[in-house]
Amino acid sequence: MRWIHKLSLRLRSLFYKGRVERELSDELHFHLEKLMEQNLGKGMAPEEARYAALRELGGVEQIKEECRDMRGVSFLETLLQDVRYGLRQLRRNPGFAAVAIITLALGIGANTAIFTVFDAVLLRLLPVRQPSQLVMLTDPNGGGSGYGMESGTRDLLGYPEFEYLRDHNSVFSGVFAVDSELPVAPVRIGPGEQSAGQPETARVSLVSGGYFSTLGIRALRGQVFTSDVDKARGASPVVVASFEFWQRRLGHDPAALGEKIQIRKKLFTIIGVTPPGFSGVTMGDEPDLWAPLTMQEAILPGRDMLSPVAAMQNEYIWLQAMGRLRPGVTLQQAQANITVLFQRMLESQAGPGLTVAQRKHYLDQQIKVRAGARGVAPVRGVMGDPLELLMALVGVLLLIACANVANLLLARGAGRQREFAIRAALGAGRSRLIRQLLAESFLLAFFGAAAGILLARWASSLLVRTMPGADGAAATTGLRLALDWRVIVFMLLVTVITAFLFGLLPAWRAGRVDLTPTLKSAAGAAPGRVRNRWLPAGKLLVIGQLSASLILLMAAGLFIHSLARLSEVSLGFSPERLVLFRVDAAAAGYEGNAMTPFCRRLLGRLRAIPGVSSATVSSGGLFEGADSGDPIAVEGYAPAGGELPNSRMDLVGPGYFRAVGIPILLGRGIEDGDAAPAQRVAVINQAFAQRYFARANPIGKTVRDTFPGNPGSMIVVGIAANARHNSLRETIEPRIYFPLYNPLWPEREISFEVRAAADPVTVSAAIRDAVAETSPALLPVQMETLPALIDRSLGSTRFITGLAGLFALLAAALAGIGLYGVMAYTVARQTREIGIRMALGAVPGEIMRQVLRETIFLAVIGVLIGIPLAIAGARLVRSLLFGVGRIDAAAFVSAAVLLAAVAALAGFVPARRAAKVDPMVALRNE
């Protein structure tokens, strides 16, 4: 701990200088008097005794200086002197200081803003006990739900699978499961429907009993439920409220504990409140209430998601699962244990009706155990790569800003050569000059960082409001931006590195001053040798700026062209005036045989609305991410060895193809009469016909669903044109449509598609009324137009394109300013030479062309260096592009032309100024 003692002594010497100096003087005088007394005792005269004592002591002032050096006071004093001097210099040059600080604020602020969001999405740990011990048994970037048989690494688990792993593992001290979707349910506070005023909706997270104990979350008020709630289904009607819900809906009332809350038709008891700041394990989802998974049928009625099935390949898959490692257990040991358990379970549960290929497909499943400290974040899968790319782009922008400020400091240093020479002549060493200039650079960097913090706080909030989430909507919920220690450390590192980047070269150059020629030169003028030495450094920095700007311009061009290609993609139908909404029919009691009458009634009401030209219904919807697929057997098609034929599937209502606008190329579509159970019909798309029927006519052929949970056959009655159902980027796959009124499997949620004859806004209210009149038990529907959904699906691409374009324009502007500064300084330093040339007959146009040639020459070198770097960088963003090659000629040309225009504009003003030089004035001043 010696360094702490030394630090305390140095700080005391710095902040209590007067007291320390008095104590030092008193101590030295005490020793001097003792030595004098000893000398007097030897018989010396008083004066002789004093001189002898001084000689023996070594001199009072010398000892004081040695003590100051040992305490580090001299270094701290000179550092404070450098800081004070730097502040005075910045105050004397407000224009230079403002330009440098604004430039640095843009670079540091942009980096801090992106990193703040980067930290919130990709780095932040869950606010729970020892998050490093948590692991994920499912995909932390996944979500949604599914039904059927999977292969490969599992994204989610079914409830029986979770129970098996929870009860048989030997590596976890606790395991829990949570619904991968956050259902919204109607709630009322109080014991009955007549109490507590108007109903509202709440987000209810279904979790297993080990949820709170495994995370280490204790109730702020009351208590949380434990693993006891997992013992019996439907026997634990209790909920834990979030702190925010307790404040907003329960009035922060401690008496709310024990109060009843009605969720759908079931009364629950509020037993506790979570601490503030805890919002679950899924970023972007903020539950209002937590309920036991065993109460699933009350929260999500209409489907049994908990009971084991005859064969696990027919299981409902909907849960995220996490565990806490036992002390001493590694991630690799946990992986080995879970792999053995999961394979054992699969082999015991594989159904007897599977073919060899299906059994192999089913057993080819694994669970990947991953670090779970950051929890679940579907938005991470959507925005992870874009945020990493944006971090790289703002890093390049910061380098350009540093080069700009370095050029300003080089130019300013060239004008201070006489000052540096005088200081060197008076005894200042080179290191002392470098230290002083670095102190000025650090002042600029920290002022820029201070301004950048204000910019970053505003920009990061704006980024979150515009950043698309996992569903394509803006990720404004649950993404909390905080100035935590990672952001602070990052900002400080960026500030320090920035100060070194732009300050070291100018300081090094300024320290290499030649005394004699500099002192002989006129005041304010730098000698030719210094000028010639500076100019190449400044021009090299400008070339670097131009090269980096080209990289950003190229990246922006690639994303702009990619977005344009996506906008030109044909859906296979017209999205205009198509209104969509989805209902949870099963939760409202419409399941099994009740589904068809419900759909008929609602469709009848929708079609009767004035301004509605057609209406239909489907299970998958459009651009909602709800899609299904099964293995199939096709009449007349012989699979190749090891091939497992499959197809995407959709249940559709009568008139679906007319309402949506998908052309029927051969045969007919699905009609109202196709509900008869005797024979199920189907419509296939072009991709299905081309793959499985080649050149044969598919009409009248049989297609059989071979999935064990959905056995059934269909007769093909039509071929529909290919269409994109979920994404503009999706590859057209074989798809088969069959009647919703004669389904292969029961559906819980269904989508309605309404084609409006005019503006969809005018029929929206009528649609909501029609839904409410058909069934008051349904939740209020959220309507979307298909163009809005398509636009939302482009959210991440628009987000990246917009920011890349903004950074590219900022980079081009900074490069242009840097180039202007270099050329303006060049012209100013060559005023005498230009004056002589004009006195000897050079015309202004020739002088102007010479300056412009030099400007364009620098731009061309920058472009030539930047092109291969941009091509190499394009490889890193290929996965984010669509329909654009790594080498896109249009992007290259547009970036080069824009950079050339910036260079020409930057060089025009100095060239025009050079052309207006008066030879007589220039020579007289020289």
Side-chain angles (χ1 to χ4, degrees):
M1 306 296 284
R2 290 182 59 189
W3 67 273
I4 298 180
H5 179 65
K6 289 183 178 180
L7 179 62
S8 63
L9 288 179
R10 290 185 178 185
L11 292 176
R12 184 172 180 270
S13 300
L14 180 65
F15 294 105
Y16 298 96
K17 182 179 177 181
R19 182 190 302 176
V20 172
E21 288 292 322
R22 286 194 300 271
E23 291 175 356
L24 180 59
S25 296
D26 292 342
E27 184 177 354
L28 289 175
H29 280 96
F30 171 78
H31 288 291
L32 182 62
E33 289 175 359
K34 287 295 183 182
L35 289 174
M36 288 176 62
E37 289 178 3
Q38 293 175 8
N39 292 336
L40 288 172
K42 295 177 182 179
M44 294 183 184
E47 194 67 23
E48 183 182 0
R50 177 179 175 79
Y51 284 130
L54 287 172
R55 285 194 302 270
E56 185 175 351
L57 192 62
V60 174
E61 295 303 322
Q62 289 86 344
I63 293 177
K64 285 184 178 180
E65 194 61 34
E66 290 175 2
C67 291
R68 296 187 190 107
D69 290 340
M70 291 178 64
R71 293 196 304 262
V73 176
S74 298
F75 173 80
L76 294 173
E77 286 183 344
T78 55
L79 179 61
L80 289 177
Q81 290 172 3
D82 290 340
V83 170
R84 288 193 294 267
Y85 185 77
L87 289 172
R88 289 198 300 270
Q89 287 293 322
L90 296 181
R91 188 168 61 248
R92 290 172 185 169
N93 299 273
F96 159 78
V99 172
I101 290 171
I102 291 173
T103 301
L104 293 173
L106 288 174
I108 297 174
N111 274 268
T112 304
I114 296 295
F115 183 79
T116 302
V117 181
F118 184 89
D119 170 62
V121 174
L122 298 177
L123 301 180
R124 188 170 300 167
L125 305 181
L126 291 174
V128 299
R129 174 175 58 86
Q130 295 181 313
S132 60
Q133 294 179 353
L134 296 175
V135 296
M136 294 291 307
L137 303 181
T138 47
D139 183 5
N141 300 334
S145 59
Y147 175 79
M149 182 168 59
E150 294 189 0
S151 185
T153 302
R154 288 289 295 274
D155 294 335
L156 301 170
L157 294 176
Y159 189 73
E161 293 174 328
F162 157 70
E163 284 190 306
Y164 185 89
L165 295 176
R166 178 196 63 193
D167 297 338
H168 293 84
N169 83 87
S170 60
V171 292
F172 300 129
S173 60
V175 183
F176 68 85
V178 57
D179 185 0
S180 61
E181 298 179 305
L182 190 64
V184 176
V187 299
R188 287 178 182 269
I189 307 297
E193 291 191 5
Q194 303 303 317
S195 62
Q198 296 298 320
E200 65 174 57
T201 58
R203 300 179 295 266
V204 184
S205 181
L206 288 166
V207 299
S208 65
Y211 179 84
F212 294 104
S213 60
T214 303
L215 291 174
I217 297 297
R218 297 182 178 180
L220 176 70
R221 296 275 185 174
Q223 62 184 2
V224 296
F225 50 77
T226 65
S227 56
D228 292 339
V229 301
D230 294 338
K231 294 179 180 178
R233 292 178 54 177
S236 303
V238 294
V239 294
V240 175
S242 71
F243 180 81
E244 288 74 14
F245 185 81
W246 182 49
Q247 280 191 314
R248 184 185 71 252
R249 188 65 181 85
L250 303 176
H252 209 278
D253 184 5
L257 298 181
E259 191 168 352
K260 299 293 184 180
I261 181 169
Q262 181 179 322
I263 306 177
R264 296 194 186 276
K265 298 179 180 180
K266 182 74 173 178
L267 284 178
F268 288 75
T269 302
I270 301 173
I271 63 171
V273 178
T274 60
F278 177 73
S279 58
V281 297
T282 303
M283 185 184 68
D285 286 344
E286 292 189 331
D288 297 312
L289 303 167
W290 284 270
L293 271 171
T294 49
M295 300 301 298
Q296 171 260 311
E297 291 185 69
I299 305 297
L300 295 174
R303 173 176 289 178
D304 182 1
M305 302 179 183
L306 304 179
S307 298
V309 292
M312 295 293 280
Q313 62 266 26
N314 295 333
E315 188 179 19
Y316 191 71
I317 302 169
W318 61 303
L319 298 175
Q320 291 277 7
M322 296 182 72
R324 181 176 291 277
L325 294 173
R326 291 183 185 275
V329 176
T330 65
L331 193 66
Q332 292 74 20
Q333 291 170 331
Q335 178 69 73
N337 180 257
I338 293 300
T339 298
V340 172
L341 283 179
F342 193 59
Q343 285 301 312
R344 185 187 304 163
M345 184 197 68
L346 292 176
E347 291 172 359
S348 65
Q349 295 293 335
L354 297 179
T355 65
V356 174
Q358 288 175 339
R359 183 178 180 84
K360 180 181 178 182
H361 181 76
Y362 175 68
L363 293 179
D364 184 26
Q365 298 185 78
Q366 309 92 33
I367 287 181
K368 184 177 181 181
V369 180
R370 299 168 249 217
R374 295 179 294 150
V376 181
V379 70
R380 196 180 296 142
V382 176
M383 292 306 301
D385 290 341
L387 283 174
E388 290 175 359
L389 171 66
L390 291 175
M391 282 299 299
L393 294 182
V394 293
V396 175
L397 181 65
L398 181 61
L399 290 176
I400 294 172
C402 289
N404 227 5
V405 178
N407 259 330
L408 290 173
L409 289 173
L410 283 170
R412 186 163 172 265
R416 297 172 64 187
Q417 288 295 308
R418 187 175 180 83
E419 171 198 338
F420 299 149
I422 293 173
R423 297 188 64 189
L426 294 175
R430 185 180 182 189
S431 61
R432 184 72 177 82
L433 291 176
I434 292 175
R435 193 170 67 187
Q436 180 214 319
L437 293 175
L438 282 178
E440 295 180 19
S441 300
F442 272 92
L443 284 173
L444 287 174
F446 280 105
F447 284 136
I453 290 176
L454 302 177
L455 174 65
R457 289 181 65 86
W458 170 80
S460 57
S461 300
L462 180 63
L463 284 175
V464 170
R465 289 196 295 271
T466 58
M467 187 179 73
D471 60 351
T476 56
T477 303
L479 191 61
R480 300 181 178 182
L481 303 180
L483 200 65
D484 61 13
W485 68 268
R486 280 183 297 272
V487 177
I488 294 173
V489 169
F490 174 81
M491 185 188 64
L492 290 176
L493 285 176
V494 167
T495 302
V496 172
I497 293 172
T498 299
F500 272 112
L501 284 177
F502 73 77
L504 193 57
L505 178 61
W508 185 264
R509 289 283 184 181
R512 297 173 60 185
V513 62
D514 295 324
L515 296 182
T516 303
T518 304
L519 292 174
K520 286 183 177 179
S521 63
R529 194 154 67 92
V530 175
R531 178 189 64 213
N532 293 334
R533 191 169 65 218
W534 172 80
L535 282 175
K539 291 179 180 178
L540 285 174
L541 287 173
V542 166
I543 290 172
Q545 285 181 283
L546 294 169
S547 300
S549 300
L550 182 71
I551 295 173
L552 295 183
L553 288 169
M554 282 283 300
L558 289 173
F559 284 115
I560 290 171
H561 292 164
S562 177
L563 183 61
R565 298 288 187 275
L566 279 170
S567 302
E568 295 168 358
V569 170
S570 172
L571 295 175
F573 58 90
S574 173
E576 300 304 323
R577 301 191 305 278
L578 198 57
V579 182
L580 313 173
F581 63 91
R582 195 165 182 86
V583 299
D584 189 347
Y590 302 106
E591 51 184 325
N593 295 331
M595 180 69 78
T596 297
F598 163 72
C599 290
R600 290 184 188 276
R601 289 198 308 273
L602 183 52
L603 283 176
R605 288 182 179 274
L606 293 175
R607 289 166 179 163
I609 295 174
V612 171
S613 60
S614 59
T616 189
V617 64
S618 66
S619 63
L622 297 171
F623 281 77
E624 295 177 357
D627 213 351
S628 300
D630 272 352
I632 57 172
V634 182
E635 180 183 354
Y637 179 79
E643 180 187 3
L644 189 63
N646 62 86
S647 173
R648 311 312 297 168
M649 294 186 173
D650 202 358
L651 288 76
V652 300
Y656 175 82
F657 298 97
R658 288 193 301 272
V660 174
I662 301 175
I664 296 293
L665 305 179
L666 184 65
R668 66 176 179 86
I670 303 296
E671 303 300 340
D672 197 59
D674 292 327
Q679 178 60 62
R680 186 179 291 108
V681 301
V683 175
I684 61 175
N685 68 349
Q686 285 175 281
F688 191 106
Q690 292 168 359
R691 179 171 177 180
Y692 295 118
F693 290 104
R695 298 180 181 178
N697 186 350
I699 304 299
K701 296 293 179 69
T702 300
V703 177
R704 186 164 52 89
D705 189 329
T706 61
F707 183 69
N710 306 317
S713 60
M714 299 150 277
I715 299 295
V716 178
V717 297
I719 301 177
N722 289 332
R724 288 179 168 83
H725 289 254
N726 292 295
S727 170
L728 294 175
R729 294 175 180 263
E730 76 179 32
T731 302
I732 301 294
E733 296 181 359
R735 182 176 290 271
I736 187 167
Y737 309 85
F738 51 91
L740 180 71
Y741 295 168
N742 187 11
L744 280 177
W745 60 77
E747 277 296 336
R748 175 187 176 86
E749 296 184 358
I750 51 176
S751 293
F752 286 84
E753 295 86 14
V754 180
R755 178 76 69 175
D759 185 6
V761 177
T762 60
V763 300
S764 296
I767 292 175
R768 287 193 179 90
D769 292 341
V771 174
E773 291 168 3
T774 303
S775 175
L778 289 172
L779 289 176
V781 295
Q782 293 184 345
M783 285 183 292
E784 293 273 10
T785 63
L786 187 55
L789 284 174
I790 294 172
D791 188 69
R792 181 183 296 174
S793 72
L794 297 174
S796 61
T797 303
R798 292 186 188 278
F799 179 76
I800 302 170
T801 303
L803 286 182
L806 175 62
F807 295 152
L809 292 177
L810 282 175
L814 290 174
I817 293 171
L819 183 57
Y820 164 79
V822 167
M823 297 314 300
Y825 185 81
T826 301
V827 168
R829 303 297 291 174
Q830 293 178 349
T831 300
R832 181 174 181 272
E833 176 186 339
I834 294 172
I836 293 173
R837 292 185 61 195
M838 296 187 72
L840 294 175
V843 296
E846 182 181 348
I847 299 296
M848 190 171 182
R849 283 192 297 272
Q850 178 187 353
V851 177
L852 285 175
R853 274 198 304 270
E854 187 173 359
T855 305
I856 298 300
F857 175 73
L858 294 176
V860 169
I861 295 178
V863 168
L864 292 177
I865 295 175
I867 286 177
L869 297 176
I871 293 174
R875 296 180 180 179
L876 305 177
V877 299
R878 277 185 296 181
S879 62
L880 301 175
L881 301 175
F882 177 85
V884 178
R886 183 167 56 88
I887 301 177
D888 185 74
F892 275 79
V893 171
S894 58
V897 169
L898 179 58
L899 203 58
V902 170
L905 183 62
F908 176 76
V909 175
R912 191 163 178 264
R913 187 180 301 158
K916 290 185 174 182
V917 169
D918 187 336
M920 297 304 297
V921 173
L923 294 175
R924 187 182 303 120
N925 289 340
E926 191 67 28

